[in-house]
Amino acid sequence: MTNRRESYGAGVIPPKSQGRPGNLGPEYSLCTNMSVCEQESAGAPERLEFEDAEFVSLCEKLRASNNVRECAWKTWEKVSSMDGILEGCIKNKKELLGICILISAVDLDEVTFTFTELQKNINISVNTFFQLVKEVDVNMDTISIKVDNTILRLKKKYDVLCALYDKFQRIFDQIFMAESSAETSVDINRTLIMKVSWITFLLAKGKVLQMEDDLVISFQLLLCVFEYFIKLSPSAVLKEPYKTAVSSISLNGPARTHRRGQSRNTRASKQMETNTRVIEALCKESDCCVDEVKDIYVKSFVPFLDSIGISASNGLPEVENLSKQYDELYLKNRDLDARLFLSQDETLQQRDCSFELERTPQKTDDEEVNVIPPETPVRAAMNTIQQLMVILNSASDSPSDILISYFNNCTVNPTENILQRIEHLSYIFRTRFAEAFGQACAEIGVQRYKLGVRLYYRVMESMLKSEEKRLSVHNFSKLLNNSAFHTSLLACAVEVVMATYGRSAFESSGTSTETDLAFPWILYVFDLKAFDFYKVIESFIKAESSLSKAMIKHLERCEHQIMECLAWKPDSPFFDLVKQSKDREGQIEQPEPTSTLYLPLQHNHTAADLYLSPVRSPRKKGCAGTVRVNSTQIADGQTSAATQPRHPQKAQKSTSLSLFYKKVYRLAYLRLKALCSQLLSEHPDLEYVIWTLFQHTLQNEYELMKDRHLDQIMMCSMYGICKVKNIDLKFKTIVHAYKDLPNTNQETFKHVLIREGKHDSIIVFYNLVFMQKLKTNILQYASTRPPPLSPIPHIPQSPYKFASSPLRVPGGNNIYISPLKNPYKCSEGPLSPTKMTPRSRILVSIGESFGTSEKFQKINQMVSSGDRLLKRGSEVSNHPKPLKRLRFDIEGQDEADGSKHMLGESKFQQKLAEIPSTRTRMQKQKLADGMDTSSKEEQ
């Protein structure tokens, strides 16, 4: 009894009784353990008796088995007892009963109905369903990871379908006439073409793509479908330029001829070479790569047409035949019937699929506004790809002359190894890509890998130029012969390409559509350790200045994933480095001393610093400085006498490990702070106590992190401290708040490693592992003499500066200038004022209240007059005037270099007048200020 009380006092959660369903592990839903279900149903009659007639009727309609019925009813009993679930989350009980049946059917692998069928029977829309499932999953043992993954895949597929149908409608309206013409055949009309083309696309998407939630390839396949039906349609129903394109094809010969001795693929390839006007027009309108669409057409779409028996010579396919084949696919997948988009069925009630980033202002009588279409997910994806293509179109598939000169200057020339590595990884990447998407898409994988190789060479050259400037050396033999460096750099380049094509197009809605090829997939393909990959990320971002803001954020998120869980895998090099640090002869060394938390995090480490593991000599009393390696050490690996440590018998400290720990501490504290702000706002002092336990665990009990997640230690630290401080905070509450943090996953708290091969919920992990390991330390915080608190990490500004951030006008005035926005179409170059909306031309943020509307009217007049002056000036002379730099005196007053203002013009008006002319200069000034800040931190 004494031990039990002591355990409870340390914060252990009292075990549940054996009769309660909570004893099942998190990998099981309620009653999803097959042995439990079999035991309870042993000897049961064929037809189970339930008192609830509505439940029985629903099970009959969905053809639910006895096992599913029994488990679904017990799930219903558990869920219906939750506070607030029945009161405000659903309109009627049938919706919740249907969700309980789905949960049990998925867990038991006995799904006998489609998702749309479930929706129809309980009269629920997609939106309501996802929201209700989120509310039901308030307990960790209500919905299993298996069900979580099923629902996540369903949500991804719905999001992609929703975006594609939205795009389908827009393109269809651009191609086909709104009303039937007198020349149009009665049998071929707009409505029929729309129905046939959409069902054909759904069928092609399901049969061609193994990964149906890939937005870009799905959209390229949609363009193939449009090309096919444009050529089948009479010219009378087509708009320009498609009408002319089809007419020119008919004049040159039949669109598709059948010749003996030629396969359909061969004929299609030759026809695509000569009749490209339609596909080119479609790709131009959508900013899509023509070559990629042609490749999909020939290698994927044409074989698909053969497989379903569609022939162009027979005209439009029959709707009944297509629907019958789609039925087979739909019933096999048991998910959404996407044909219902055509009838705007309420079960597929669309969320905000267009995700409009900026609405175009209405045109008035005295101004002319250029209409800019909304930023849809598909258009956002195409624009991002175009941005990358602008960077890589001029890049080479082989090393440049500058790179070759660097290779030749090496003591050991790395050229042969580099080329062999690229060729070897190319084969592996192509194979793995084809396994994920299907063999028909193998060549797409080859093209994306080639783009990655171009970016790899480009960034490597930029890195070496920077190192040459920093070290004044030309021989980088040791770095360029480091296999981990090259594999990591190539993996990072390919990841940028893959993320550009497959990045979440729904970021603005807060949802995620990452595919199975998302990071860390590339690490598995290249057999690369996450800890090695992390070393290149920051240097990669600094070396490639043309990366988009979205891609910089993606790489930063990859770095966070590594620090959260990937670097803590049992085979990670991290643990070897920590062991070496701990085993230093004659010295007890910590991976990263607590005292360094006060220090600013320096962002001046290069890839060479981390991969070659430059070291610093151990600190001595009275000497806080560090010894930098000599340039020759990085060049050829030979350390000069000047860089030898004073105590050669002591092992030297790894820079990569030290930097990693510093970054982990800062990430850990920021996430803890966010969670505390939600749960412990009334107890602000507890944040520092929890951080002390959290930091102590990461530093001294880092073995607990092996094969686990950073957030698992964070939540356990919070629960343990609250327990000994007598703060009523349940794990259920912690988990509920945790799900609202960015970048979280249900598996983090439902599937925690307990021991080898055994996983359970975070509650079980706390009781059996965390509390047992840290019980003595946790109980110290209940005593009158608790341990000293750990310092709060210095939180620096992100090293990844975004060029599109608002620029602050110096001089203490609260005025910010926003740079020009990204182009709507990268192929058309930067946006000119005539292409932009009035709102996006000049954005000014003023840190004061204007009080009256007259001042806003004056600003509008000034902006309008400024635009007219700019236009007149450009007509008179093509020579731009030199930029004027604002100068601010002590009182905050300003004047432009060599400029004079009109008499009576206010200071504020003068500043506004100068803003457009200083925009570019401020952009450069911000970058320079960032360099100065880094230099000061280093000093």
Side-chain angles (χ1 to χ4, degrees), residues 594-637:
T594 308
S595 58
T596 62
L597 292 175
Y598 285 116
L599 303 176
L601 180 60
Q602 297 181 8
H603 297 288
N604 55 355
H605 300 286
T606 67
D609 294 331
L610 301 181
Y611 284 99
L612 302 184
S613 193
V615 292
R616 59 185 182 185
S617 59
R619 291 179 180 272
K620 297 183 64 179
K621 293 183 179 180
C623 181
T626 60
V627 178
R628 290 196 174 274
V629 292
N630 188 281
S631 59
T632 56
Q633 183 180 359
I634 294 178
D636 56 18

Side-chain angles (χ1 to χ4, degrees), residues 8-9 51 82 87 105 183 211 421 430 434 458 529 539 644 830 939:
Y8 290 170
E51 296 180 0
M82 298 177 188
E87 297 175 4
E183 303 176 9
M211 192 173 294
R421 184 183 298 106
R430 182 187 188 279
R458 174 185 167 98
K529 303 300 181 187
S539 296
Q644 291 289 351
Q939 293 174 0

Side-chain angles (χ1 to χ4, degrees), residues 28 31-39 67 107-110:
Y28 298 98
C31 219
T32 58
N33 187 328
M34 290 301 295
S35 61
V36 175
C37 288
E38 289 169 1
Q39 290 173 5
N67 279 344
D107 268 322
L108 294 173
D109 289 323
E110 295 185 23

Side-chain angles (χ1 to χ4, degrees), residues 826-862:
C826 297
S827 57
E828 296 180 0
L831 285 180
S832 65
T834 57
K835 295 180 184 177
M836 302 181 72
T837 65
R839 180 181 180 276
S840 62
R841 289 183 184 178
I842 298 179
L843 300 177
V844 183
S845 172
I846 311 296
E848 61 181 38
S849 175
F850 282 88
T852 61
S853 60
E854 285 77 13
K855 293 187 178 180
F856 284 109
Q857 293 175 0
K858 290 182 179 179
I859 293 176
N860 291 334
Q861 293 172 2
M862 290 163 52

Side-chain angles (χ1 to χ4, degrees), residues 198-238:
W198 176 246
I199 298 176
T200 301
F201 166 68
L202 294 178
L203 198 55
K205 183 171 174 287
K207 287 182 173 291
V208 171
L209 302 182
Q210 292 179 195
M211 192 173 294
E212 292 189 67
D213 56 359
D214 186 277
L215 182 66
V216 173
I217 295 183
S218 296
F219 176 65
Q220 292 171 337
L221 187 61
L222 178 62
L223 295 184
C224 295
V225 174
F226 272 124
E227 193 272 353
Y228 182 79
F229 283 101
I230 287 173
K231 290 183 177 180
L232 284 183
S233 301
S235 60
V237 302
L238 298 174

Side-chain angles (χ1 to χ4, degrees), residues 293-362:
V293 177
K294 288 180 181 178
D295 188 76
I296 291 176
Y297 192 100
V298 174
K299 296 179 180 177
S300 300
F301 185 64
V302 172
F304 155 75
L305 294 176
D306 284 333
S307 69
I308 64 173
I310 290 182
S311 173
S313 60
N314 297 330
L316 286 180
E318 294 183 1
V319 176
E320 293 76 12
N321 180 36
L322 292 174
S323 285
K324 184 179 179 180
Q325 295 191 57
Y326 179 75
D327 272 329
E328 297 176 2
L329 190 66
Y330 156 64
L331 293 173
K332 177 183 176 182
N333 294 333
R334 299 192 183 281
D335 52 19
L336 294 161
D337 185 351
R339 291 171 296 188
L340 297 178
F341 279 110
L342 290 167
S343 59
Q344 298 181 343
D345 192 277
E346 60 181 8
T347 59
L348 293 182
Q349 176 188 348
Q350 294 190 37
R351 299 184 300 168
D352 187 11
C353 292
S354 62
F355 303 126
E356 297 185 12
L357 302 183
E358 179 181 12
R359 295 189 178 277
T360 306
Q362 294 293 323

